[in-house]
Structure formats: C-alpha cells, structure tokens
Short mmCIF file of all heavy atoms in Angstrom, two decimals:
data_model
loop_
_atom_site.label_atom_id
_atom_site.label_comp_id
_atom_site.label_asym_id
_atom_site.label_seq_id
_atom_site.Cartn_x
_atom_site.Cartn_y
_atom_site.Cartn_z
N MET A 1 -5.29 4.32 14.05
CA MET A 1 -4.98 4.82 12.67
C MET A 1 -5.92 4.22 11.65
O MET A 1 -6.05 2.88 11.64
CB MET A 1 -3.54 4.46 12.39
CG MET A 1 -3.07 4.79 11.02
SD MET A 1 -1.39 4.29 10.56
CE MET A 1 -0.62 5.84 10.66
N ASN A 2 -6.41 4.95 10.80
CA ASN A 2 -7.29 4.49 9.63
C ASN A 2 -6.30 3.75 8.79
O ASN A 2 -5.24 4.21 8.46
CB ASN A 2 -7.93 5.57 9.07
CG ASN A 2 -8.69 5.27 7.79
OD1 ASN A 2 -8.60 4.17 7.30
ND2 ASN A 2 -9.42 6.29 7.23
N LYS A 3 -6.67 2.56 8.33
CA LYS A 3 -5.82 1.76 7.46
C LYS A 3 -5.35 2.65 6.14
O LYS A 3 -4.23 2.53 5.79
CB LYS A 3 -6.58 0.54 6.98
CG LYS A 3 -6.68 -0.59 7.96
CD LYS A 3 -7.35 -1.77 7.36
CE LYS A 3 -7.61 -2.69 8.46
NZ LYS A 3 -8.45 -3.84 8.02
N LEU A 4 -6.28 3.42 5.65
CA LEU A 4 -5.82 4.13 4.37
C LEU A 4 -4.87 5.20 4.66
O LEU A 4 -4.33 5.76 3.83
CB LEU A 4 -7.10 4.63 3.72
CG LEU A 4 -7.92 3.52 3.05
CD1 LEU A 4 -9.21 4.21 2.41
CD2 LEU A 4 -7.13 2.83 2.04
N GLU A 5 -4.66 5.59 5.97
CA GLU A 5 -3.62 6.55 6.24
C GLU A 5 -2.27 6.16 5.99
O GLU A 5 -1.32 6.85 5.86
CB GLU A 5 -3.80 7.08 7.76
CG GLU A 5 -5.03 7.87 8.09
CD GLU A 5 -5.18 8.28 9.45
OE1 GLU A 5 -4.35 7.95 10.29
OE2 GLU A 5 -6.23 8.97 9.86
N ARG A 6 -2.13 4.82 5.87
CA ARG A 6 -0.90 4.21 5.54
C ARG A 6 -0.53 4.39 4.04
O ARG A 6 0.55 4.08 3.61
CB ARG A 6 -0.83 2.70 5.92
CG ARG A 6 -0.91 2.47 7.46
CD ARG A 6 -0.98 1.00 7.71
NE ARG A 6 -0.79 0.78 9.13
CZ ARG A 6 0.31 0.55 9.73
NH1 ARG A 6 1.46 0.61 9.02
NH2 ARG A 6 0.47 0.44 11.07
N ILE A 7 -1.47 4.69 3.27
CA ILE A 7 -1.35 4.81 1.88
C ILE A 7 -1.09 6.27 1.56
O ILE A 7 -1.84 7.21 1.86
CB ILE A 7 -2.47 4.31 1.05
CG1 ILE A 7 -2.88 2.90 1.43
CG2 ILE A 7 -2.33 4.49 -0.55
CD1 ILE A 7 -1.72 1.91 1.12
N THR A 8 -0.01 6.63 0.88
CA THR A 8 0.35 8.06 0.55
C THR A 8 0.56 8.23 -1.00
O THR A 8 1.00 7.29 -1.59
CB THR A 8 1.64 8.42 1.34
OG1 THR A 8 2.73 7.49 1.00
CG2 THR A 8 1.42 8.47 2.81
N ILE A 9 0.29 9.41 -1.30
CA ILE A 9 0.62 9.75 -2.70
C ILE A 9 1.27 11.09 -2.71
O ILE A 9 0.82 12.17 -2.25
CB ILE A 9 -0.69 9.92 -3.52
CG1 ILE A 9 -1.42 8.67 -3.52
CG2 ILE A 9 -0.48 10.56 -4.96
CD1 ILE A 9 -2.88 8.69 -4.19
N ASP A 10 2.59 11.03 -3.29
CA ASP A 10 3.52 12.22 -3.30
C ASP A 10 4.11 12.17 -4.62
O ASP A 10 4.70 11.28 -5.13
CB ASP A 10 4.48 12.04 -2.14
CG ASP A 10 5.51 13.18 -2.07
OD1 ASP A 10 5.55 13.99 -3.11
OD2 ASP A 10 6.26 13.19 -1.11
N PRO A 11 3.91 13.28 -5.30
CA PRO A 11 4.48 13.40 -6.76
C PRO A 11 5.94 13.20 -6.84
O PRO A 11 6.51 12.92 -7.83
CB PRO A 11 4.03 14.88 -7.28
CG PRO A 11 3.29 15.47 -6.17
CD PRO A 11 3.16 14.46 -5.00
N THR A 12 6.65 13.39 -5.61
CA THR A 12 8.08 13.30 -5.67
C THR A 12 8.59 11.90 -5.31
O THR A 12 9.70 11.58 -5.33
CB THR A 12 8.74 14.37 -4.72
OG1 THR A 12 8.38 14.00 -3.35
CG2 THR A 12 8.34 15.76 -4.99
N VAL A 13 7.60 10.94 -4.95
CA VAL A 13 8.06 9.66 -4.61
C VAL A 13 7.21 8.67 -5.58
O VAL A 13 6.01 8.65 -5.75
CB VAL A 13 7.56 9.26 -3.18
CG1 VAL A 13 7.82 7.74 -2.81
CG2 VAL A 13 8.20 10.24 -2.12
N MET A 14 8.05 7.91 -6.32
CA MET A 14 7.58 6.92 -7.31
C MET A 14 6.53 7.57 -8.24
O MET A 14 5.45 7.02 -8.59
CB MET A 14 6.87 5.72 -6.65
CG MET A 14 7.87 4.98 -5.78
SD MET A 14 9.37 4.25 -6.61
CE MET A 14 8.61 2.98 -7.54
N THR A 15 6.85 8.74 -8.77
CA THR A 15 6.11 9.44 -9.74
C THR A 15 4.63 9.64 -9.35
O THR A 15 3.78 9.66 -10.14
CB THR A 15 6.21 8.96 -11.13
OG1 THR A 15 5.62 7.64 -11.21
CG2 THR A 15 7.64 8.98 -11.50
N GLY A 16 4.37 9.66 -8.02
CA GLY A 16 2.93 9.95 -7.51
C GLY A 16 2.03 8.73 -7.40
O GLY A 16 0.87 8.98 -7.18
N ARG A 17 2.63 7.59 -7.62
CA ARG A 17 1.90 6.25 -7.47
C ARG A 17 1.65 6.18 -5.98
O ARG A 17 2.35 6.54 -5.17
CB ARG A 17 2.62 5.10 -8.08
CG ARG A 17 2.63 5.26 -9.64
CD ARG A 17 3.19 4.02 -10.18
NE ARG A 17 4.63 4.03 -10.07
CZ ARG A 17 5.52 3.08 -10.30
NH1 ARG A 17 5.00 1.86 -10.60
NH2 ARG A 17 6.79 3.28 -10.10
N ALA A 18 0.56 5.37 -5.71
CA ALA A 18 0.20 5.15 -4.24
C ALA A 18 1.27 4.24 -3.71
O ALA A 18 1.64 3.19 -4.27
CB ALA A 18 -1.13 4.44 -4.23
N CYS A 19 1.74 4.61 -2.57
CA CYS A 19 2.84 4.08 -1.80
C CYS A 19 2.52 3.73 -0.41
O CYS A 19 1.48 4.26 0.05
CB CYS A 19 4.02 4.94 -1.82
SG CYS A 19 4.89 5.13 -3.51
N ILE A 20 3.30 3.03 0.26
CA ILE A 20 3.10 2.72 1.64
C ILE A 20 3.92 3.61 2.59
O ILE A 20 5.04 3.67 2.49
CB ILE A 20 3.38 1.19 1.90
CG1 ILE A 20 2.60 0.28 1.12
CG2 ILE A 20 3.20 0.82 3.49
CD1 ILE A 20 2.99 -1.20 1.18
N ARG A 21 3.18 4.42 3.36
CA ARG A 21 3.78 5.30 4.31
C ARG A 21 4.89 6.18 3.87
O ARG A 21 5.96 6.32 4.47
CB ARG A 21 4.26 4.41 5.60
CG ARG A 21 3.11 3.82 6.42
CD ARG A 21 3.52 3.26 7.67
NE ARG A 21 4.17 1.92 7.39
CZ ARG A 21 5.27 1.44 7.83
NH1 ARG A 21 5.96 2.29 8.60
NH2 ARG A 21 5.80 0.27 7.66
N GLY A 22 4.78 6.64 2.63
CA GLY A 22 5.81 7.49 2.09
C GLY A 22 7.08 6.78 1.53
O GLY A 22 8.00 7.49 1.09
N MET A 23 7.04 5.46 1.66
CA MET A 23 8.24 4.75 1.23
C MET A 23 8.18 4.52 -0.25
O MET A 23 7.17 4.76 -0.99
CB MET A 23 8.31 3.48 1.98
CG MET A 23 8.62 3.66 3.45
SD MET A 23 8.88 2.11 4.29
CE MET A 23 7.11 1.62 4.73
N ARG A 24 9.22 3.95 -0.85
CA ARG A 24 9.30 3.66 -2.28
C ARG A 24 8.78 2.31 -2.53
O ARG A 24 9.30 1.64 -3.36
CB ARG A 24 10.68 3.82 -2.76
CG ARG A 24 11.15 5.43 -2.55
CD ARG A 24 12.65 5.64 -3.27
NE ARG A 24 12.63 5.43 -4.58
CZ ARG A 24 12.23 6.28 -5.55
NH1 ARG A 24 11.74 7.44 -5.06
NH2 ARG A 24 12.35 5.95 -6.81
N VAL A 25 7.75 1.91 -1.87
CA VAL A 25 7.18 0.58 -2.07
C VAL A 25 5.66 1.00 -2.45
O VAL A 25 4.91 1.54 -1.77
CB VAL A 25 7.07 -0.25 -0.80
CG1 VAL A 25 6.31 -1.48 -1.04
CG2 VAL A 25 8.52 -0.41 -0.27
N THR A 26 5.40 0.59 -3.70
CA THR A 26 4.11 0.91 -4.27
C THR A 26 2.99 -0.08 -3.89
O THR A 26 3.28 -1.27 -3.61
CB THR A 26 4.07 1.06 -5.69
OG1 THR A 26 4.27 -0.20 -6.38
CG2 THR A 26 5.08 2.05 -6.24
N VAL A 27 1.79 0.44 -3.70
CA VAL A 27 0.59 -0.44 -3.53
C VAL A 27 0.51 -1.51 -4.54
O VAL A 27 0.27 -2.70 -4.41
CB VAL A 27 -0.73 0.30 -3.35
CG1 VAL A 27 -1.94 -0.54 -3.31
CG2 VAL A 27 -0.64 1.22 -2.09
N GLY A 28 0.72 -1.10 -5.85
CA GLY A 28 0.58 -1.93 -6.94
C GLY A 28 1.58 -3.06 -6.91
O GLY A 28 1.25 -4.24 -7.19
N ASN A 29 2.74 -2.75 -6.44
CA ASN A 29 3.78 -3.85 -6.41
C ASN A 29 3.38 -4.91 -5.30
O ASN A 29 3.45 -6.19 -5.56
CB ASN A 29 5.17 -3.23 -5.95
CG ASN A 29 6.29 -4.29 -6.06
OD1 ASN A 29 6.35 -5.17 -6.86
ND2 ASN A 29 7.21 -4.22 -4.99
N ILE A 30 2.86 -4.47 -4.14
CA ILE A 30 2.41 -5.37 -3.08
C ILE A 30 1.19 -6.14 -3.70
O ILE A 30 1.17 -7.39 -3.54
CB ILE A 30 2.08 -4.59 -1.85
CG1 ILE A 30 3.18 -3.88 -1.19
CG2 ILE A 30 1.45 -5.57 -0.71
CD1 ILE A 30 4.44 -4.81 -0.93
N LEU A 31 0.26 -5.49 -4.23
CA LEU A 31 -0.90 -6.27 -4.85
C LEU A 31 -0.55 -7.35 -5.82
O LEU A 31 -0.98 -8.46 -5.90
CB LEU A 31 -1.86 -5.24 -5.40
CG LEU A 31 -2.56 -4.37 -4.33
CD1 LEU A 31 -3.44 -3.36 -5.06
CD2 LEU A 31 -3.39 -5.16 -3.29
N ASN A 32 0.43 -6.91 -6.67
CA ASN A 32 1.05 -7.85 -7.75
C ASN A 32 1.64 -9.11 -7.01
O ASN A 32 1.47 -10.23 -7.52
CB ASN A 32 2.06 -7.26 -8.63
CG ASN A 32 1.35 -6.39 -9.69
OD1 ASN A 32 0.28 -6.60 -10.13
ND2 ASN A 32 2.04 -5.31 -10.16
N MET A 33 2.37 -8.89 -5.99
CA MET A 33 3.01 -9.94 -5.28
C MET A 33 1.99 -10.87 -4.72
O MET A 33 2.00 -12.09 -4.76
CB MET A 33 3.94 -9.49 -4.21
CG MET A 33 5.16 -9.02 -4.85
SD MET A 33 6.53 -8.68 -3.52
CE MET A 33 5.98 -7.09 -2.88
N LEU A 34 0.98 -10.31 -4.07
CA LEU A 34 -0.18 -11.19 -3.44
C LEU A 34 -0.93 -11.89 -4.54
O LEU A 34 -1.18 -13.00 -4.35
CB LEU A 34 -1.15 -10.23 -2.60
CG LEU A 34 -0.50 -9.64 -1.38
CD1 LEU A 34 -1.55 -8.58 -0.74
CD2 LEU A 34 -0.38 -10.78 -0.24
N ALA A 35 -1.17 -11.22 -5.60
CA ALA A 35 -1.92 -11.88 -6.69
C ALA A 35 -1.09 -13.01 -7.41
O ALA A 35 -1.76 -13.96 -7.89
CB ALA A 35 -2.31 -10.79 -7.72
N SER A 36 0.17 -12.91 -7.38
CA SER A 36 0.94 -14.01 -7.87
C SER A 36 1.30 -15.04 -7.00
O SER A 36 2.05 -16.07 -7.30
CB SER A 36 2.27 -13.39 -8.44
OG SER A 36 3.19 -12.95 -7.42
N GLY A 37 0.68 -14.99 -5.84
CA GLY A 37 0.81 -16.19 -4.84
C GLY A 37 1.83 -15.98 -3.83
O GLY A 37 1.91 -16.90 -2.90
N ARG A 38 2.47 -14.86 -3.76
CA ARG A 38 3.39 -14.61 -2.56
C ARG A 38 2.55 -14.59 -1.19
O ARG A 38 1.52 -13.92 -1.27
CB ARG A 38 4.17 -13.39 -2.74
CG ARG A 38 5.04 -13.35 -4.06
CD ARG A 38 6.38 -14.10 -3.88
NE ARG A 38 7.26 -13.67 -2.82
CZ ARG A 38 8.11 -12.76 -2.96
NH1 ARG A 38 8.35 -12.07 -4.12
NH2 ARG A 38 8.91 -12.39 -1.91
N THR A 39 3.04 -15.14 -0.18
CA THR A 39 2.28 -15.03 1.02
C THR A 39 2.70 -13.71 1.85
O THR A 39 3.65 -13.04 1.41
CB THR A 39 2.64 -16.18 2.07
OG1 THR A 39 4.06 -16.05 2.39
CG2 THR A 39 2.46 -17.55 1.29
N ARG A 40 1.91 -13.38 2.79
CA ARG A 40 2.11 -12.16 3.56
C ARG A 40 3.61 -12.38 4.19
O ARG A 40 4.29 -11.38 4.26
CB ARG A 40 1.15 -12.02 4.70
CG ARG A 40 -0.15 -11.54 4.18
CD ARG A 40 -1.17 -11.50 5.27
NE ARG A 40 -2.32 -10.76 5.00
CZ ARG A 40 -2.63 -9.49 5.25
NH1 ARG A 40 -1.85 -8.90 6.13
NH2 ARG A 40 -3.62 -8.88 4.88
N ASP A 41 3.82 -13.54 4.65
CA ASP A 41 5.17 -13.83 5.29
C ASP A 41 6.31 -13.56 4.29
O ASP A 41 7.39 -12.99 4.67
CB ASP A 41 5.25 -15.25 5.96
CG ASP A 41 4.35 -15.27 7.19
OD1 ASP A 41 4.12 -14.28 7.80
OD2 ASP A 41 4.06 -16.38 7.55
N ASP A 42 6.16 -14.05 3.04
CA ASP A 42 7.09 -13.78 2.09
C ASP A 42 7.36 -12.36 1.87
O ASP A 42 8.52 -11.94 1.73
CB ASP A 42 6.69 -14.34 0.73
CG ASP A 42 6.60 -15.87 0.56
OD1 ASP A 42 7.16 -16.57 1.39
OD2 ASP A 42 5.87 -16.44 -0.25
N ILE A 43 6.34 -11.54 1.84
CA ILE A 43 6.51 -10.20 1.56
C ILE A 43 7.15 -9.48 2.70
O ILE A 43 8.07 -8.62 2.61
CB ILE A 43 5.11 -9.51 1.16
CG1 ILE A 43 4.53 -10.10 -0.11
CG2 ILE A 43 5.15 -8.04 1.16
CD1 ILE A 43 3.13 -9.82 -0.34
N LEU A 44 6.75 -9.79 3.86
CA LEU A 44 7.30 -9.24 5.10
C LEU A 44 8.73 -9.60 5.30
O LEU A 44 9.48 -8.84 5.87
CB LEU A 44 6.49 -9.58 6.36
CG LEU A 44 5.12 -8.94 6.37
CD1 LEU A 44 4.20 -9.65 7.53
CD2 LEU A 44 5.02 -7.46 6.28
N VAL A 45 9.14 -10.72 4.84
CA VAL A 45 10.57 -11.06 4.88
C VAL A 45 11.32 -10.22 3.85
O VAL A 45 12.46 -9.75 4.08
CB VAL A 45 10.69 -12.65 4.66
CG1 VAL A 45 12.21 -12.91 4.41
CG2 VAL A 45 10.25 -13.33 5.89
N ALA A 46 10.82 -10.11 2.63
CA ALA A 46 11.41 -9.38 1.65
C ALA A 46 11.49 -7.83 1.95
O ALA A 46 12.41 -7.13 1.44
CB ALA A 46 10.69 -9.59 0.28
N TYR A 47 10.48 -7.37 2.61
CA TYR A 47 10.42 -5.95 3.01
C TYR A 47 10.24 -5.78 4.51
O TYR A 47 9.11 -5.63 5.05
CB TYR A 47 9.20 -5.31 2.37
CG TYR A 47 9.29 -5.29 0.77
CD1 TYR A 47 8.82 -6.29 0.09
CD2 TYR A 47 9.90 -4.20 0.09
CE1 TYR A 47 8.86 -6.30 -1.33
CE2 TYR A 47 9.97 -4.24 -1.26
CZ TYR A 47 9.52 -5.30 -1.95
OH TYR A 47 9.62 -5.29 -3.45
N PRO A 48 11.39 -6.00 5.29
CA PRO A 48 11.19 -6.16 6.72
C PRO A 48 10.68 -4.85 7.42
O PRO A 48 10.24 -4.94 8.60
CB PRO A 48 12.63 -6.48 7.13
CG PRO A 48 13.50 -6.10 6.08
CD PRO A 48 12.68 -6.29 4.81
N TYR A 49 10.70 -3.75 6.62
CA TYR A 49 10.27 -2.51 7.29
C TYR A 49 8.74 -2.30 7.04
O TYR A 49 8.13 -1.39 7.52
CB TYR A 49 11.00 -1.34 6.66
CG TYR A 49 11.14 -1.49 5.19
CD1 TYR A 49 10.16 -1.10 4.17
CD2 TYR A 49 12.36 -2.01 4.72
CE1 TYR A 49 10.42 -1.19 2.84
CE2 TYR A 49 12.57 -2.24 3.35
CZ TYR A 49 11.58 -1.78 2.45
OH TYR A 49 11.80 -1.99 1.08
N LEU A 50 8.04 -3.25 6.47
CA LEU A 50 6.62 -3.17 6.28
C LEU A 50 5.98 -3.98 7.52
O LEU A 50 6.64 -4.82 8.19
CB LEU A 50 6.17 -3.89 4.90
CG LEU A 50 6.54 -3.17 3.68
CD1 LEU A 50 5.99 -3.91 2.50
CD2 LEU A 50 6.17 -1.73 3.72
N GLU A 51 4.70 -3.71 7.68
CA GLU A 51 3.91 -4.35 8.64
C GLU A 51 2.67 -5.01 8.12
O GLU A 51 2.29 -4.61 7.06
CB GLU A 51 3.51 -3.33 9.81
CG GLU A 51 4.64 -2.53 10.45
CD GLU A 51 4.26 -1.31 11.17
OE1 GLU A 51 3.03 -1.10 11.36
OE2 GLU A 51 5.13 -0.67 11.74
N ASN A 52 2.10 -5.86 8.85
CA ASN A 52 0.94 -6.51 8.37
C ASN A 52 -0.12 -5.55 8.06
O ASN A 52 -0.97 -5.66 7.18
CB ASN A 52 0.46 -7.47 9.40
CG ASN A 52 0.62 -9.04 9.05
OD1 ASN A 52 0.33 -9.39 7.78
ND2 ASN A 52 1.03 -9.82 9.94
N ALA A 53 -0.29 -4.54 8.74
CA ALA A 53 -1.25 -3.43 8.67
C ALA A 53 -1.06 -2.72 7.33
O ALA A 53 -2.01 -2.39 6.70
CB ALA A 53 -1.25 -2.41 9.76
N ASP A 54 0.19 -2.69 6.82
CA ASP A 54 0.44 -2.10 5.49
C ASP A 54 -0.20 -2.92 4.43
O ASP A 54 -0.71 -2.48 3.50
CB ASP A 54 1.94 -1.99 5.31
CG ASP A 54 2.69 -0.99 6.29
OD1 ASP A 54 2.01 0.05 6.59
OD2 ASP A 54 3.75 -1.28 6.63
N LEU A 55 -0.17 -4.18 4.56
CA LEU A 55 -0.78 -5.17 3.55
C LEU A 55 -2.12 -5.04 3.58
O LEU A 55 -2.89 -5.03 2.55
CB LEU A 55 -0.17 -6.64 3.88
CG LEU A 55 1.35 -6.90 3.85
CD1 LEU A 55 1.63 -8.27 3.89
CD2 LEU A 55 1.99 -6.20 2.57
N ASP A 56 -2.75 -5.00 4.79
CA ASP A 56 -4.21 -4.79 4.88
C ASP A 56 -4.64 -3.48 4.30
O ASP A 56 -5.70 -3.46 3.61
CB ASP A 56 -4.61 -4.69 6.39
CG ASP A 56 -4.48 -5.96 7.19
OD1 ASP A 56 -4.35 -6.99 6.57
OD2 ASP A 56 -4.37 -5.90 8.45
N ALA A 57 -3.87 -2.50 4.45
CA ALA A 57 -4.21 -1.12 3.79
C ALA A 57 -4.21 -1.22 2.28
O ALA A 57 -5.00 -0.70 1.61
CB ALA A 57 -3.14 -0.03 4.26
N CYS A 58 -3.17 -1.93 1.77
CA CYS A 58 -3.07 -2.18 0.24
C CYS A 58 -4.39 -2.85 -0.21
O CYS A 58 -4.99 -2.56 -1.25
CB CYS A 58 -1.87 -3.04 -0.02
SG CYS A 58 -0.33 -2.13 0.12
N LEU A 59 -4.84 -3.92 0.51
CA LEU A 59 -6.09 -4.65 0.08
C LEU A 59 -7.28 -3.73 0.25
O LEU A 59 -8.12 -3.74 -0.60
CB LEU A 59 -6.19 -5.94 0.97
CG LEU A 59 -5.20 -7.03 0.64
CD1 LEU A 59 -5.18 -8.08 1.70
CD2 LEU A 59 -5.31 -7.59 -0.81
N GLN A 60 -7.36 -2.94 1.30
CA GLN A 60 -8.50 -2.07 1.46
C GLN A 60 -8.49 -1.08 0.30
O GLN A 60 -9.60 -0.73 -0.28
CB GLN A 60 -8.54 -1.37 2.79
CG GLN A 60 -9.72 -0.53 2.98
CD GLN A 60 -9.77 0.12 4.39
OE1 GLN A 60 -8.75 0.24 5.03
NE2 GLN A 60 -10.90 0.64 4.64
N TYR A 61 -7.39 -0.48 -0.03
CA TYR A 61 -7.27 0.50 -1.16
C TYR A 61 -7.71 -0.13 -2.44
O TYR A 61 -8.57 0.42 -3.13
CB TYR A 61 -5.81 0.90 -1.21
CG TYR A 61 -5.51 1.92 -2.34
CD1 TYR A 61 -5.67 3.27 -2.01
CD2 TYR A 61 -5.01 1.46 -3.47
CE1 TYR A 61 -5.45 4.22 -3.00
CE2 TYR A 61 -4.72 2.52 -4.53
CZ TYR A 61 -4.83 3.79 -4.20
OH TYR A 61 -4.53 4.76 -5.20
N ALA A 62 -7.24 -1.46 -2.81
CA ALA A 62 -7.66 -1.95 -3.88
C ALA A 62 -9.19 -2.24 -3.98
O ALA A 62 -9.82 -2.19 -5.01
CB ALA A 62 -6.88 -3.35 -4.13
N ALA A 63 -9.68 -2.72 -2.84
CA ALA A 63 -11.12 -2.98 -2.73
C ALA A 63 -11.98 -1.78 -3.13
O ALA A 63 -13.01 -1.81 -3.80
CB ALA A 63 -11.58 -3.59 -1.38
N LEU A 64 -11.58 -0.60 -2.47
CA LEU A 64 -12.29 0.64 -2.74
C LEU A 64 -12.20 1.02 -4.20
O LEU A 64 -13.16 1.39 -4.74
CB LEU A 64 -11.76 1.72 -1.83
CG LEU A 64 -12.01 1.58 -0.34
CD1 LEU A 64 -11.26 2.59 0.49
CD2 LEU A 64 -13.42 1.64 -0.02
N LEU A 65 -11.04 0.86 -4.82
CA LEU A 65 -10.86 1.22 -6.20
C LEU A 65 -11.80 0.19 -7.06
O LEU A 65 -12.37 0.71 -8.08
CB LEU A 65 -9.39 1.21 -6.65
CG LEU A 65 -8.56 2.26 -6.09
CD1 LEU A 65 -7.06 2.02 -6.55
CD2 LEU A 65 -9.05 3.58 -6.52
N ALA A 66 -11.78 -1.04 -6.68
CA ALA A 66 -12.57 -1.87 -7.51
C ALA A 66 -14.03 -1.66 -7.43
O ALA A 66 -14.79 -2.03 -8.27
CB ALA A 66 -12.27 -3.34 -7.00
N ASN A 67 -14.52 -0.99 -6.36
CA ASN A 67 -15.83 -0.72 -6.22
C ASN A 67 -16.23 0.70 -6.67
O ASN A 67 -17.28 1.34 -6.49
CB ASN A 67 -16.34 -0.73 -4.71
CG ASN A 67 -16.51 -2.18 -4.34
OD1 ASN A 67 -16.94 -2.98 -5.03
ND2 ASN A 67 -16.15 -2.53 -3.07
N ASP A 68 -15.23 1.32 -7.32
CA ASP A 68 -15.34 2.72 -7.91
C ASP A 68 -15.72 3.67 -6.80
O ASP A 68 -16.37 4.76 -7.06
CB ASP A 68 -16.38 2.82 -8.98
CG ASP A 68 -15.91 2.05 -10.26
OD1 ASP A 68 -14.73 2.01 -10.66
OD2 ASP A 68 -16.83 1.40 -10.99
N GLU A 69 -15.18 3.47 -5.56
CA GLU A 69 -15.39 4.47 -4.60
C GLU A 69 -14.34 5.57 -4.64
O GLU A 69 -13.18 5.32 -4.97
CB GLU A 69 -15.41 3.91 -3.11
CG GLU A 69 -16.47 2.86 -3.06
CD GLU A 69 -16.63 2.25 -1.61
OE1 GLU A 69 -16.21 3.00 -0.71
OE2 GLU A 69 -17.01 1.13 -1.54
N GLU A 70 -14.66 6.83 -4.35
CA GLU A 70 -13.73 7.93 -4.42
C GLU A 70 -12.98 7.81 -3.07
O GLU A 70 -13.48 7.58 -2.05
CB GLU A 70 -14.46 9.19 -4.49
CG GLU A 70 -14.89 9.54 -5.95
CD GLU A 70 -15.15 10.99 -6.11
OE1 GLU A 70 -14.54 11.82 -5.38
OE2 GLU A 70 -16.02 11.25 -6.82
N LEU A 71 -11.69 8.09 -3.27
CA LEU A 71 -10.72 7.99 -2.06
C LEU A 71 -10.15 9.49 -1.97
O LEU A 71 -9.79 10.15 -2.84
CB LEU A 71 -9.59 7.16 -2.31
CG LEU A 71 -9.87 5.76 -2.54
CD1 LEU A 71 -8.59 4.95 -2.92
CD2 LEU A 71 -10.57 5.07 -1.33
N GLU A 72 -10.19 9.98 -0.79
CA GLU A 72 -9.56 11.29 -0.35
C GLU A 72 -8.38 10.95 0.41
O GLU A 72 -8.39 10.73 1.64
CB GLU A 72 -10.61 12.16 0.30
CG GLU A 72 -11.57 12.81 -0.41
CD GLU A 72 -12.38 13.80 0.29
OE1 GLU A 72 -11.71 14.70 1.14
OE2 GLU A 72 -13.56 13.96 0.14
N LEU A 73 -7.16 10.96 -0.28
CA LEU A 73 -6.00 10.83 0.40
C LEU A 73 -5.23 12.04 0.43
O LEU A 73 -5.19 12.80 -0.48
CB LEU A 73 -5.04 9.69 -0.38
CG LEU A 73 -5.71 8.30 -0.51
CD1 LEU A 73 -4.74 7.41 -1.27
CD2 LEU A 73 -5.89 7.72 0.93
N LYS A 74 -4.69 12.33 1.61
CA LYS A 74 -3.98 13.56 1.78
C LYS A 74 -2.59 13.50 1.12
O LYS A 74 -1.88 12.53 1.39
CB LYS A 74 -3.83 13.94 3.24
CG LYS A 74 -5.19 14.07 3.94
CD LYS A 74 -4.95 14.30 5.47
CE LYS A 74 -6.23 14.23 6.29
NZ LYS A 74 -5.97 14.31 7.65
N PRO A 75 -2.25 14.43 0.30
CA PRO A 75 -0.88 14.47 -0.22
C PRO A 75 0.16 14.63 0.99
O PRO A 75 -0.17 15.38 1.84
CB PRO A 75 -0.84 15.55 -1.25
CG PRO A 75 -2.11 16.26 -1.11
CD PRO A 75 -2.94 15.64 -0.20
N LYS A 76 1.25 14.06 0.74
CA LYS A 76 2.24 14.14 1.85
C LYS A 76 2.94 15.49 1.80
O LYS A 76 3.15 16.11 0.87
CB LYS A 76 3.31 13.05 1.63
CG LYS A 76 4.30 13.11 2.72
CD LYS A 76 5.21 11.95 2.64
CE LYS A 76 6.18 12.00 3.75
NZ LYS A 76 7.23 11.03 3.77
#
C-alpha cells in the first residue's frame, strides 16, 4: 500500500479535511500533536485504532505539501 493511500479526503467527513483512512482523525491533528512533542507511542495509545503507518503517511503528506508538490488523492 502506498503511504498516501491512507490519507483520504471526503467532503462528508470533517468538512473535507485530510483524514486518516476515512476516520474522523485529521492529518492536521496528528501533525499538531507531533509538533507539540507528543511521541508516536503517546498518539497510538490515545488513538488505538491508528497504526504507525498512518503516522508515516501524515508526515509524508506534510512533506509533500511543504515542497509545494501536487497531490492526487482519490475522493472516498
């Protein structure tokens, strides 16, 4: 599975913000937690339905956006 396949955008979920695997967990929320010093383990305990690969996908998504690369994400 391509890491970015874990990132979904659906206008009916969290008003179309980038989410993890169609869940109501936004990429922005995960990135904010990482940026504020929360560890991967902290996040995975708080969100037991997430996987390490989901966190990797969030970081890859952010890196692509920071480099102004275009992303083609399939709408759910």
Side-chain angles (χ1 to χ4, degrees):
M1 172 185 260
N2 175 351
K3 286 181 188 174
L4 288 180
E5 288 178 3
R6 292 176 171 271
I7 307 301
T8 56
I9 296 175
D10 180 344
T12 65
V13 177
M14 300 301 287
T15 63
R17 289 185 283 169
C19 291
I20 300 172
R21 293 185 284 129
M23 295 184 272
R24 299 182 64 78
V25 179
T26 65
V27 171
N29 189 38
I30 297 301
L31 293 173
N32 283 332
M33 286 190 280
L34 289 168
S36 69
R38 300 279 302 269
T39 67
R40 284 175 170 258
D41 288 338
D42 290 340
I43 295 168
L44 294 174
V45 166
Y47 299 89
Y49 40 85
L50 294 182
E51 302 168 2
N52 253 317
D54 296 323
L55 305 184
D56 291 341
C58 290
L59 291 171
Q60 183 178 14
Y61 181 85
L64 291 171
L65 290 177
N67 285 322
D68 292 324
E69 293 184 33
E70 281 195 31
L71 301 174
E72 281 191 42
L73 298 177
K74 297 176 188 172
K76 186 173 178 186

